[in-house]
Every structure is written in structure tokens, then in C-alpha cells.
Amino acid sequence: TLDETKAIIERVNQAEHVLVMGASFIAYELAEGIVHRGKKVTWMMRGPWFLRYVLDREGGELCRRMGSDMGVEFIVEDEIAGISRREGGYTARTVNGREVQFDTLCYGVGLDYYVEPVAGAGIAGGWEIPRDCDRDRDDHRQCRCGAREAAP
């Protein structure tokens, strides 16, 4: 929604280093919009390139080069194993042994709400949706599944 977009912009404007997770159009828009605001961006995705089920390798590499030229750091074929708090932000440890320090996380969770990497990390944000619910987020305002807006 427009209100959610405004909230993301407000938070990002206060950030220094943003970790963007996901390989969807939403993650792309987040990474592009944030780097254009002059923020350091690390974009992490489980697959080898952005939209790996839609783009071929050449298309994926082209998108990666364009992002790199804008200053985006890419971490591909990796995912978060854990997140811990640190002075001034967080540290993400990946399954491949990398560490990324960041102060803001923007996560395009995808259509299946893949939230396991950040579950239990104590990171505040948007919506908390029970795993057994099959409704999209906008329907949760009338849903009895127990979804609720998370505290900021």
C-alpha cells in the first residue's frame, strides 16, 4: 500500500546499510530504490540470479551487472542461517559462512511467505502471518487465522 511504501522510505532514509533479501520483483524494486537514495545495499538471494525461473542466465547476469554498477553488493546461492544483534544493528550469518552487518532489513518474502530465515530474530516489521493460513496479506484484516500487524 501507499502507507507501507511511505513507512519503508522513512525507515530507509535513516539507514546506513540495508540488507535486501529475495529474488523477486519486490526485492529488485527495494534494492533499486534504496541504492538510488545513496544507501549501501547488499542483496541476498538463494538462487544464482534475480528471477531465476523467468530469466535465463544471460538475463540474470545483465541485471546483476546493472545493479553492481549502481553499487549493489550481491550475495547469490546463499541464505541466512541466523541473525544476531550487534551495536547499532544486526549481523546476518549465511549458510555458506559469510557475515553481513546491516541496520535495516527489507525482505521480499515471496508468494509463499518464506520467513524461516528471520523467524525468531526479534526483527520488527510489517505483518506476522501464521504459516497455516492461505490468504494473502490484504485479506488478513477480515481473517480469523490470527494474523496481526507486528509492532514497529
Side-chain angles (χ1 to χ4, degrees):
T1 68
L2 182 57
D3 289 339
E4 291 169 324
T5 301
K6 288 177 181 178
I8 290 169
I9 291 169
E10 182 179 330
R11 177 63 182 111
V12 163
N13 284 340
Q14 300 169 23
E16 291 182 27
H17 186 177
V18 179
L19 174 60
V20 174
M21 290 175 44
S24 66
F25 279 117
I26 296 297
Y28 172 87
E29 293 292 338
L30 287 165
E32 180 185 43
I34 294 165
V35 80
H36 278 290
R37 287 179 157 29
K39 306 301 178 176
K40 182 175 180 181
V41 174
T42 300
W43 185 2
M44 183 182 303
M45 58 191 78
R46 292 183 292 161
W49 59 79
F50 162 69
L51 289 179
R52 71 182 183 265
Y53 298 120
V54 177
L55 298 176
D56 62 10
R57 178 171 295 280
E58 183 178 354
E61 288 301 320
L62 175 63
C63 290
R64 185 174 172 175
R65 281 194 309 273
M66 290 169 48
S68 293
D69 289 348
M70 294 300 300
V72 175
E73 174 191 10
F74 286 83
I75 298 174
V76 297
E77 298 184 286
D78 206 354
E79 62 184 300
I80 289 181
I83 297 175
S84 58
R85 290 186 181 272
R86 64 169 178 79
E87 181 77 29
Y90 303 91
T91 299
R93 290 172 320 286
T94 73
V95 296
N96 291 333
R98 291 193 60 172
E99 286 193 354
V100 179
Q101 294 188 350
F102 63 97
D103 55 55
T104 301
L105 172 67
C106 290
Y107 189 5
V109 297
L111 296 175
D112 295 327
Y113 296 109
Y114 178 68
V115 297
E116 285 83 355
V118 296
I123 295 175
W127 281 77
E128 295 177 4
I129 300 173
R131 297 197 45 75
D132 58 349
C133 184
D134 61 357
R135 292 191 171 196
D136 70 34
R137 188 172 80 175
D138 291 334
D139 286 341
H140 285 293
R141 288 176 178 86
Q142 291 83 34
C143 186
R144 297 181 189 268
C145 73
R148 60 184 175 81
E149 200 160 354

